[in-house]
Amino acid sequence: MYSPNFKFGLFIVSILFLGVSGSRAEAQNRPQSPAPNVYLDCNRCSFDYVRLNIDFVNYVRDQADADIYLRITDAQTGSGREYTLEFRGIPPFSERLEVLTFTSLQSATSDEERTQLMRYIRVGLVPFLTETIVMQGLDVSGYSPIEDLQSETQIVDPWNNWVFEIDLATSFDKEETEFNYEIEGGLEAERITENWKMDYSLDIELDRTEIDLSSGTRYVNRDSWSFDSFVAYSIRRHFSIGLFTEASASKTDNILVNLEASPAIEYSFFPYNEFQERRWVLQYRITPSYRNYDQTTVFLKNHEIVSQQVLSHQLRFDQPWGRIDIWTSASSYLHDLSLNRFQLNPYFSIRITRGLSVFLNGRYQIINDQISLPAEDITDTERLLGERQQATSYEFWLSFGFSYTFGSAYSNIVNPRF
C-alpha cells in the first residue's frame, strides 16, 4: 500500500517528466550558457564548506563579476534562527529574483544547520540553471517525505514557543607572580510570537586575580551578576511598547545592588518585517532605579533612588553595496539634567568599485553621569589593575581602513593543507 506522500510525489514527477519530454527537442536546439558566476554574501556561512558541497557553479570574489548575487541573512526567532536566502539574477544573465526562508531549530547542531542551509542554496539555484550547461548534469537525488507536515496554526507546541538555554564556563591563567580565574554562568528563557517578545536572563561572573607586588600579594575582585528581563508587545505595524527590568551588582562599578524598571516605547519608520534589510528605529525609555553602593560616592551617597531617561536611535541598511549602521543614544538623570551622556556608534562598510571597499567602526561618548564613583580617589594600582572604574568626561575609539583585491576573479578551489 503506497503512502499518500508517495502518491503525491509520483504525481508531481509524472507531470515534470511530461513537461520535460515535450520541450526536450526545443531545449536541445537552444544555445546554453556556461556555469554561472555566483557572489556569496553571508555572515554566518562557511565559504569553504559552500564551495566544497556546491561545486556546479563558479564563485567570484567581486559582485561585479557575478551572474547571481546570493545574499543570506538571519534573525533570531522563538524556536531558533530564521534564514532568508535572496537569489538575484544580474542582467544580462537573468532578471529573476527568488527568495527562500527556513528556520533552523535552537537545538540543531552546527552541522545540521549548515546541511539544511546547503539544501536550500541548491534548491534556490536550480531556476537559474535551466538555460546553462550545468542542467545537462543536474539531477534530483531523492525526496524525504515529511510525515506530519502541518500548517503553522496546526502545530502543537508543548513548550508554547518558550526556548531555554543554560551555559557554564571557566578559565584559569597562571604565571609565577600572577593567578587569575573566571567562572561564568547563565540562564536564559525566551519566547517570541507574532505580537509578543519576552526574554529573561541571569548572568553571574566571578573574576578573581592574585598578583604578587613588592608590597605583598594583591587580591582583585571584579565579580558581577545581573538579572534582566524584557517584555515587548507589538501594537501596530510600526509601533511597540515594552518593559525592561534589571537587578544587578558590580564590584568594579561600586554597586552592591541596582534595581530598576524601564517602560519603553519604540517606533520603526520601516515595517518590522524589513528589519534584515533596513531599519530606522526610535526608542524612548524612563528608568527609575534604586542603588546601594559599596563605598560612599562622590555625591556622598550610600544609597539612593534616581530616575533616568534614554532616547536612542538606529539607522541601518544592509544592501549589496555594503552596510551602514549608525546608533546614537542620549540620556540624563531627571533630578539633574546636567548629569547626562551622549553616545555615537557608527559603522560603515562600503563597496566603492570592483575589488575596493572601505570601512569605519567606532564609538564616541560624552560622559557626565558617573554618579556611582567612590568619593575616595582611585590609586595607581587600582587604575592599572582595572579594579575600579575611573572618572572621565569622554571616551572614544576608532578603526578605519580599506581593502583592495585584484587578480583572478574566481575562487572555486578549496585547499585545507596547513
Side-chain angles (χ1 to χ4, degrees):
M1 193 69 179
Y2 295 109
S3 67
N5 282 326
F6 179 83
K7 293 179 180 179
F8 178 75
L10 185 61
F11 173 70
I12 293 299
V13 170
S14 301
I15 292 177
L16 291 175
F17 178 79
L18 291 174
V20 170
S21 299
S23 60
R24 182 174 298 168
E26 179 184 352
Q28 288 176 345
N29 296 325
R30 187 180 302 154
Q32 291 185 309
S33 303
N37 296 335
V38 176
Y39 179 79
L40 177 62
D41 183 0
C42 179
N43 290 328
R44 290 178 63 88
C45 298
S46 170
F47 192 30
D48 287 348
Y49 189 82
V50 175
R51 290 185 294 177
L52 284 171
N53 289 272
I54 303 177
D55 57 0
F56 49 81
V57 296
N58 296 316
Y59 297 95
V60 292
R61 294 182 295 98
D62 196 286
Q63 64 190 70
D65 298 314
D67 299 314
I68 304 170
Y69 180 88
L70 172 53
R71 181 168 176 264
I72 303 176
T73 57
D74 60 276
Q76 190 69 36
T77 70
S79 58
R81 184 171 295 276
E82 182 183 76
Y83 285 87
T84 300
L85 293 77
E86 181 183 297
F87 302 80
R88 185 181 298 276
I90 300 177
F93 175 77
S94 173
E95 295 184 357
R96 179 187 293 270
L97 174 64
E98 300 287 344
V99 179
L100 300 176
T101 61
F102 74 90
T103 299
S104 176
L105 297 179
Q106 190 83 17
S107 57
T109 64
S110 298
D111 182 68
E112 290 172 334
E113 185 172 309
R114 67 183 184 181
T115 299
Q116 190 176 14
L117 181 59
M118 292 307 101
R119 184 165 65 87
Y120 273 82
I121 293 177
R122 291 189 187 98
V123 172
L125 286 173
V126 169
F128 296 88
L129 305 176
T130 56
E131 303 297 329
T132 71
I133 197 171
V134 177
M135 201 63 187
Q136 296 181 15
L138 203 62
D139 198 3
V140 178
S141 61
Y143 171 69
S144 300
I146 303 175
E147 298 294 339
D148 299 321
L149 187 62
Q150 303 176 15
S151 68
E152 184 176 346
T153 57
Q154 294 174 318
I155 291 177
V156 178
D157 181 7
W159 293 98
N160 194 24
N161 291 314
W162 282 101
V163 178
F164 301 89
E165 181 178 349
I166 300 175
D167 61 87
L168 180 65
T170 183
S171 64
F172 300 88
D173 183 11
K174 173 66 175 168
E175 298 180 12
E176 187 172 344
T177 60
E178 183 176 343
F179 173 63
N180 171 261
Y181 71 88
E182 294 182 41
I183 301 175
E184 297 178 279
L187 171 65
E188 183 174 8
E190 183 181 54
R191 183 174 187 262
I192 299 177
T193 67
E194 188 67 27
N195 294 318
W196 287 94
K197 183 174 182 179
M198 305 177 187
D199 189 283
Y200 303 88
S201 63
L202 172 65
D203 295 289
I204 300 174
E205 180 178 1
L206 304 179
D207 187 345
R208 307 287 177 88
T209 302
E210 299 179 13
I211 303 178
D212 293 334
L213 304 175
S214 59
S215 57
T217 301
R218 180 83 177 197
Y219 298 92
V220 181
N221 184 336
R222 304 186 191 91
D223 294 353
S224 64
W225 63 267
S226 66
F227 173 77
D228 301 279
S229 71
F230 166 65
V231 178
Y233 178 71
S234 177
I235 297 179
R236 295 180 181 177
R237 196 172 174 213
H238 297 263
F239 185 66
S240 300
I241 58 174
L243 177 66
F244 297 82
T245 59
E246 178 182 338
S248 60
S250 172
K251 288 286 292 183
T252 304
D253 293 334
N254 190 36
I255 296 177
L256 287 178
V257 177
N258 175 64
L259 304 174
E260 62 183 46
S262 308
I265 58 175
E266 180 179 272
Y267 183 80
S268 177
F269 293 89
F270 301 131
Y272 283 108
N273 58 12
E274 299 179 10
F275 228 54
Q276 298 306 309
E277 297 182 1
R278 58 176 187 167
R279 64 185 71 173
W280 186 10
V281 178
L282 195 65
Q283 185 186 103
Y284 179 75
R285 297 167 55 178
I286 295 182
T287 308
S289 61
Y290 167 79
R291 294 182 180 178
N292 188 12
Y293 299 111
D294 186 26
Q295 302 179 39
T296 303
T297 70
V298 290
F299 291 95
L300 303 181
K301 300 286 187 178
N302 293 312
H303 55 82
E304 63 181 331
I305 297 176
V306 293
S307 295
Q308 190 177 28
Q309 60 179 345
V310 182
L311 178 65
S312 60
H313 167 270
Q314 183 183 29
L315 180 64
R316 173 170 170 172
F317 294 92
D318 291 90
Q319 299 295 326
W321 42 260
R323 175 189 295 179
I324 294 178
D325 189 356
I326 303 175
W327 185 84
T328 58
S329 173
S331 64
S332 67
Y333 285 96
L334 297 181
H335 70 281
D336 186 350
L337 297 181
S338 65
L339 298 172
N340 53 58
R341 179 179 301 220
F342 173 79
Q343 183 170 336
L344 170 65
N345 291 72
Y347 176 83
F348 299 91
S349 178
I350 309 297
R351 176 181 176 272
I352 303 299
T353 185
R354 179 194 298 269
L356 177 62
S357 299
V358 297
F359 70 89
L360 182 147
N361 190 17
R363 180 178 68 243
Y364 177 70
Q365 292 190 86
I366 301 174
I367 302 172
N368 296 305
D369 63 350
Q370 293 178 287
I371 64 174
S372 64
L373 286 174
E376 184 179 342
D377 291 337
I378 186 172
T379 65
D380 290 339
T381 302
E382 290 173 328
R383 180 179 289 106
L384 291 172
L385 297 178
E387 195 171 354
R388 284 169 43 186
Q389 68 168 318
Q390 303 180 45
T392 182
S393 60
Y394 69 91
E395 177 193 5
F396 79 89
W397 70 268
L398 186 66
S399 173
F400 61 91
F402 75 92
S403 65
Y404 181 64
T405 307
F406 57 93
S408 174
Y410 299 97
S411 57
N412 293 330
I413 300 174
V414 177
N415 188 340
R417 297 170 181 83
F418 291 92

Short mmCIF file of all heavy atoms in Angstrom, two decimals, residues 343-365:
data_model
loop_
_atom_site.label_atom_id
_atom_site.label_comp_id
_atom_site.label_asym_id
_atom_site.label_seq_id
_atom_site.Cartn_x
_atom_site.Cartn_y
_atom_site.Cartn_z
N GLN A 343 26.15 59.14 23.28
CA GLN A 343 26.96 58.09 22.67
C GLN A 343 26.64 57.97 21.19
O GLN A 343 25.47 57.98 20.78
CB GLN A 343 26.70 56.75 23.36
CG GLN A 343 27.56 55.62 22.84
CD GLN A 343 27.47 54.37 23.71
OE1 GLN A 343 27.15 54.45 24.88
NE2 GLN A 343 27.74 53.22 23.13
N LEU A 344 27.69 57.82 20.39
CA LEU A 344 27.57 57.64 18.95
C LEU A 344 28.38 56.42 18.54
O LEU A 344 29.57 56.33 18.85
CB LEU A 344 28.07 58.87 18.21
CG LEU A 344 28.22 58.76 16.68
CD1 LEU A 344 26.86 58.56 16.03
CD2 LEU A 344 28.92 60.00 16.12
N ASN A 345 27.73 55.47 17.85
CA ASN A 345 28.40 54.27 17.35
C ASN A 345 28.17 54.16 15.85
O ASN A 345 27.13 53.67 15.41
CB ASN A 345 27.85 53.02 18.05
CG ASN A 345 28.23 52.94 19.50
OD1 ASN A 345 27.71 53.69 20.33
ND2 ASN A 345 29.11 52.03 19.84
N PRO A 346 29.14 54.61 15.04
CA PRO A 346 28.98 54.48 13.59
C PRO A 346 29.69 53.23 13.07
O PRO A 346 30.73 52.81 13.59
CB PRO A 346 29.67 55.74 13.06
CG PRO A 346 30.76 56.01 14.07
CD PRO A 346 30.27 55.49 15.40
N TYR A 347 29.12 52.66 12.03
CA TYR A 347 29.77 51.54 11.33
C TYR A 347 29.46 51.67 9.84
O TYR A 347 28.29 51.79 9.45
CB TYR A 347 29.28 50.19 11.85
CG TYR A 347 29.86 49.02 11.07
CD1 TYR A 347 31.12 48.52 11.37
CD2 TYR A 347 29.16 48.44 10.01
CE1 TYR A 347 31.67 47.48 10.65
CE2 TYR A 347 29.70 47.40 9.29
CZ TYR A 347 30.96 46.91 9.61
OH TYR A 347 31.50 45.88 8.89
N PHE A 348 30.50 51.67 9.04
CA PHE A 348 30.34 51.76 7.59
C PHE A 348 31.22 50.68 6.95
O PHE A 348 32.38 50.51 7.31
CB PHE A 348 30.78 53.12 7.04
CG PHE A 348 30.01 54.29 7.58
CD1 PHE A 348 30.43 54.95 8.72
CD2 PHE A 348 28.85 54.73 6.95
CE1 PHE A 348 29.73 56.03 9.22
CE2 PHE A 348 28.14 55.79 7.45
CZ PHE A 348 28.58 56.45 8.59
N SER A 349 30.67 49.98 5.99
CA SER A 349 31.43 49.07 5.15
C SER A 349 30.86 49.22 3.75
O SER A 349 29.77 48.70 3.46
CB SER A 349 31.32 47.62 5.65
OG SER A 349 32.04 46.75 4.80
N ILE A 350 31.56 49.93 2.90
CA ILE A 350 31.03 50.34 1.60
C ILE A 350 31.92 49.80 0.48
O ILE A 350 33.14 49.92 0.53
CB ILE A 350 30.95 51.88 1.49
CG1 ILE A 350 30.21 52.47 2.70
CG2 ILE A 350 30.27 52.28 0.19
CD1 ILE A 350 28.77 52.04 2.82
N ARG A 351 31.28 49.21 -0.50
CA ARG A 351 32.00 48.77 -1.71
C ARG A 351 32.04 49.95 -2.68
O ARG A 351 31.01 50.42 -3.16
CB ARG A 351 31.27 47.58 -2.32
CG ARG A 351 31.86 47.09 -3.64
CD ARG A 351 31.05 45.92 -4.19
NE ARG A 351 31.55 45.51 -5.48
CZ ARG A 351 31.15 46.04 -6.64
NH1 ARG A 351 30.27 47.02 -6.66
NH2 ARG A 351 31.66 45.58 -7.78
N ILE A 352 33.23 50.43 -2.97
CA ILE A 352 33.39 51.60 -3.84
C ILE A 352 33.33 51.19 -5.31
O ILE A 352 32.58 51.76 -6.11
CB ILE A 352 34.72 52.32 -3.54
CG1 ILE A 352 34.78 52.72 -2.06
CG2 ILE A 352 34.87 53.54 -4.42
CD1 ILE A 352 33.69 53.66 -1.62
N THR A 353 34.13 50.21 -5.67
CA THR A 353 34.17 49.71 -7.04
C THR A 353 34.73 48.31 -7.00
O THR A 353 34.95 47.74 -5.92
CB THR A 353 35.05 50.63 -7.92
OG1 THR A 353 34.99 50.19 -9.28
CG2 THR A 353 36.49 50.63 -7.45
N ARG A 354 34.97 47.72 -8.16
CA ARG A 354 35.45 46.34 -8.21
C ARG A 354 36.71 46.15 -7.36
O ARG A 354 37.74 46.78 -7.58
CB ARG A 354 35.77 45.98 -9.66
CG ARG A 354 36.31 44.54 -9.81
CD ARG A 354 36.92 44.35 -11.19
NE ARG A 354 35.94 44.54 -12.22
CZ ARG A 354 35.18 43.59 -12.74
NH1 ARG A 354 35.31 42.36 -12.29
NH2 ARG A 354 34.30 43.85 -13.69
N GLY A 355 36.59 45.27 -6.35
CA GLY A 355 37.73 44.93 -5.51
C GLY A 355 38.07 45.92 -4.41
O GLY A 355 38.89 45.63 -3.55
N LEU A 356 37.44 47.10 -4.40
CA LEU A 356 37.80 48.15 -3.43
C LEU A 356 36.65 48.40 -2.46
O LEU A 356 35.53 48.72 -2.88
CB LEU A 356 38.16 49.45 -4.15
CG LEU A 356 38.49 50.64 -3.25
CD1 LEU A 356 39.71 50.35 -2.39
CD2 LEU A 356 38.71 51.89 -4.09
N SER A 357 36.93 48.25 -1.17
CA SER A 357 35.96 48.53 -0.11
C SER A 357 36.62 49.35 0.97
O SER A 357 37.83 49.23 1.22
CB SER A 357 35.43 47.22 0.50
OG SER A 357 34.76 46.43 -0.46
N VAL A 358 35.84 50.19 1.61
CA VAL A 358 36.32 50.98 2.75
C VAL A 358 35.43 50.67 3.96
O VAL A 358 34.26 50.31 3.82
CB VAL A 358 36.29 52.50 2.44
CG1 VAL A 358 37.22 52.83 1.31
CG2 VAL A 358 34.87 52.97 2.11
N PHE A 359 36.02 50.80 5.17
CA PHE A 359 35.25 50.54 6.38
C PHE A 359 35.62 51.53 7.46
O PHE A 359 36.73 52.08 7.47
CB PHE A 359 35.48 49.11 6.88
CG PHE A 359 36.85 48.87 7.45
CD1 PHE A 359 37.12 49.10 8.79
CD2 PHE A 359 37.89 48.43 6.64
CE1 PHE A 359 38.38 48.89 9.32
CE2 PHE A 359 39.15 48.21 7.16
CZ PHE A 359 39.40 48.44 8.49
N LEU A 360 34.69 51.76 8.36
CA LEU A 360 34.90 52.61 9.53
C LEU A 360 34.04 52.06 10.66
O LEU A 360 32.87 51.75 10.46
CB LEU A 360 34.54 54.06 9.24
CG LEU A 360 34.76 55.07 10.39
CD1 LEU A 360 35.16 56.43 9.84
CD2 LEU A 360 33.48 55.23 11.23
N ASN A 361 34.63 51.94 11.84
CA ASN A 361 33.92 51.45 13.01
C ASN A 361 34.42 52.21 14.22
O ASN A 361 35.63 52.40 14.38
CB ASN A 361 34.16 49.95 13.19
CG ASN A 361 33.27 49.34 14.25
OD1 ASN A 361 32.26 49.94 14.64
ND2 ASN A 361 33.61 48.16 14.72
N GLY A 362 33.51 52.69 15.06
CA GLY A 362 33.97 53.48 16.20
C GLY A 362 32.91 53.70 17.25
O GLY A 362 31.76 53.27 17.12
N ARG A 363 33.32 54.34 18.32
CA ARG A 363 32.41 54.72 19.39
C ARG A 363 32.93 56.02 20.01
O ARG A 363 34.13 56.17 20.24
CB ARG A 363 32.33 53.64 20.46
CG ARG A 363 31.38 54.03 21.62
CD ARG A 363 31.25 52.93 22.66
NE ARG A 363 32.49 52.73 23.42
CZ ARG A 363 33.18 51.61 23.40
NH1 ARG A 363 32.80 50.59 22.64
NH2 ARG A 363 34.28 51.49 24.12
N TYR A 364 32.01 56.94 20.28
CA TYR A 364 32.38 58.19 20.94
C TYR A 364 31.33 58.49 22.01
O TYR A 364 30.12 58.42 21.76
CB TYR A 364 32.44 59.34 19.94
CG TYR A 364 32.74 60.67 20.58
CD1 TYR A 364 34.00 60.94 21.10
CD2 TYR A 364 31.75 61.65 20.70
CE1 TYR A 364 34.29 62.15 21.71
CE2 TYR A 364 32.02 62.86 21.31
CZ TYR A 364 33.29 63.12 21.81
OH TYR A 364 33.56 64.32 22.43
N GLN A 365 31.82 58.80 23.23
CA GLN A 365 30.91 59.11 24.33
C GLN A 365 31.32 60.41 25.02
O GLN A 365 32.51 60.63 25.27
CB GLN A 365 30.93 57.98 25.37
CG GLN A 365 30.33 56.68 24.92
CD GLN A 365 30.16 55.72 26.09
OE1 GLN A 365 29.16 55.73 26.81
NE2 GLN A 365 31.16 54.87 26.29
#
